[in-house]
Amino acid sequence: MKLSSVLLAAVSVAGLAAGNQVSPRKGQKVGVARGELAINQTPDLGYKELWDLQNMFYTRFKYPNNVNEVESINSTIFSDDVQGRVSDTRNFEGRELNTEYIFGLFVPSDAVSIIGRPGDFQIIQFTANRNIASASTRVNFTFPSFNNVSFPVQIDTWLAWNSERRISQYDVTFRWFAYLLPTLIQSLDRERPEEALKTLVAKVASSICDSHETSCTGENKQYDSRQECYDFLTKEIRVGQGFELGMNTLLCRNIHEHMIKARPGVHCSHIGRDGGGMCDDSISYQTKVEEQYFRNSPWVPETP
Ligand SMILES: *[C@@H]1O[C@H](CO)[C@@H](O)[C@H](O)[C@H]1NC(C)=O
Ligand SMILES: *[C@@H]1O[C@H](CO)[C@@H](O)[C@H](O)[C@H]1NC(C)=O
Ligand SMILES: *[C@@H]1O[C@H](CO)[C@@H](O)[C@H](O)[C@H]1NC(C)=O
């Protein structure tokens, strides 16, 4: 990303602070007043600003910039009513949870993980209208648990911005994630991919159980012993395919393991037996496809 884009994004935020509010128009949904300013959920930001905001998002997503977002606990890139949906996982409500899943998940940790560290990016497809940008972005990832192998990952996003230049909604698809996963596993042992998978499963389960021992204590405890945890994760549930990161799988619990340290009271249940509402088989394919989730901004703007 060019420095000029960073500066522009900073300037537009500064303009907003100076009271340069986009006024709501007829027919638009207007959010609740907060202080002096009413937040408009569907401002007409224009193509250029949406392009700059898109670049700003990926600049903040990139390691190590994402560490600052994590440390802020509630990233200012999100509105406090933000709603997020990530393909193959679940939906995430509110600023704090989204800061954990969009930024926290992608910072390096001691855990053995299928998640990588995002680096340089290139927006390869982009269009924008009113308050919505739709884009495909290729991000170079490094995977610390796979001998630091690098692969590009294509991330397709629909982002809706409010008049405070905060993301009020996002819908994200990790394109070809189900292809990336076996590619990563094969990178561990090209000749014997089945052995590589076994090794990975053992490492991931150990990692989750270690995190459980360290961080899920007292009423956050999910398993009576490390052995019980390990047996459950390796024998009683599926490893999970690429589309099963929000289902009753080992890989789903691997995703949520990252967040345990930050808020054990919220996240320990996700690695437990019943998956704490994040890792279970309760959502059918049909429900997924027909779900009507987003409330803040229509994804199909009114015809002018
Ligand atoms: C983050 O936001 C949540 C929800 O608004 C709030 O309860 C919490 O105190 C905030 N945390 C920090 C560190 O600002
Ligand atoms: C990603 O990495 C590849 C290979 O290492 C490199 O050719 C490419 O330019 C990188 N992409 C970006 C956006 O930096
Ligand atoms: C991967 O890279 C990190 C940081 O660059 C380094 O600390 C770590 O030792 C590397 N791991 C492997 C397995 O090479």
Side-chain angles (χ1 to χ4, degrees), residues 119-122 138-140 150 152:
D120 289 335
F121 65 89
Q122 188 185 9
R138 202 185 281 137
V139 183
N140 275 355
S150 284

Side-chain angles (χ1 to χ4, degrees), residues 261-277:
K261 236 191 223 169
R263 286 197 295 167
V266 172
H267 299 288
C268 282
S269 64
H270 304 150
I271 64 163
R273 286 183 172 269
D274 72 6

Side-chain angles (χ1 to χ4, degrees), residues 117 142 144 146-148:
R117 206 170 57 214
T142 306
F146 296 82
N147 303 315
N148 286 331

Side-chain angles (χ1 to χ4, degrees), residues 67-276:
V67 175
N68 295 332
E69 304 298 324
V70 175
E71 285 172 355
S72 77
I73 311 285
N74 289 309
S75 169
T76 55
I77 204 159
F78 298 117
S79 67
D80 63 7
D81 57 0
V82 62
Q83 298 185 278
R85 180 165 73 180
V86 182
S87 68
D88 306 324
T89 62
R90 289 287 175 113
N91 298 344
F92 305 106
E93 290 271 330
R95 189 181 276 157
E96 190 166 358
L97 201 61
N98 276 288
T99 303
E100 290 168 344
Y101 283 98
I102 296 300
F103 296 111
L105 189 53
F106 300 94
V107 300
S109 78
D110 302 333
V112 174
S113 172
I114 55 165
I115 302 296
R117 206 170 57 214
D120 289 335
F121 65 89
Q122 188 185 9
I123 299 170
I124 52 179
Q125 293 165 210
F126 183 84
T127 190
N129 179 35
R130 297 203 64 91
N131 66 316
I132 298 171
S134 178
S136 220
T137 306
R138 202 185 281 137
V139 183
N140 275 355
F141 271 80
T142 306
F143 294 87
S145 300
F146 296 82
N147 303 315
N148 286 331
V149 67
S150 284
F151 284 110
V153 178
Q154 191 165 330
I155 307 175
D156 297 346
T157 50
W158 283 82
L159 300 181
W161 299 84
N162 71 17
S163 55
E164 290 191 308
R165 279 66 172 172
R166 294 188 171 160
I167 296 172
S168 64
Q169 286 177 191
Y170 68 82
D171 198 9
V172 176
T173 306
F174 283 79
R175 183 111 61 105
W176 302 308
F177 182 78
Y179 196 178
L180 172 62
L181 190 57
T183 302
L184 277 174
I185 293 166
Q186 279 174 28
S187 78
L188 293 174
D189 189 339
R190 227 160 276 284
E191 308 297 314
R192 299 172 306 159
E194 278 167 25
E195 286 304 307
L197 178 62
K198 268 190 211 159
T199 310
L200 181 69
V201 165
K203 280 188 183 167
V204 166
S206 292
S207 176
I208 296 171
C209 296
D210 288 344
S211 298
H212 177 263
E213 293 293 298
T214 311
S215 304
C216 302
T217 54
E219 54 184 35
N220 296 325
K221 204 172 167 70
Q222 308 294 317
Y223 304 99
D224 287 334
S225 67
R226 195 181 180 289
Q227 191 63 42
E228 187 208 325
C229 171
Y230 189 84
D231 288 346
F232 175 77
L233 295 178
T234 55
K235 296 182 187 141
E236 292 182 43
I237 56 172
R238 323 188 277 291
V239 176
Q241 301 185 55
F243 64 92
E244 293 188 306
L245 302 181
M247 297 195 194
N248 186 22
T249 62
L250 174 70
L251 294 183
C252 182
R253 289 168 177 80
N254 186 215
I255 303 268
H256 292 274
E257 176 196 352
H258 273 254
M259 264 69 71
I260 287 174
K261 236 191 223 169
R263 286 197 295 167
V266 172
H267 299 288
C268 282
S269 64
H270 304 150
I271 64 163
R273 286 183 172 269
D274 72 6

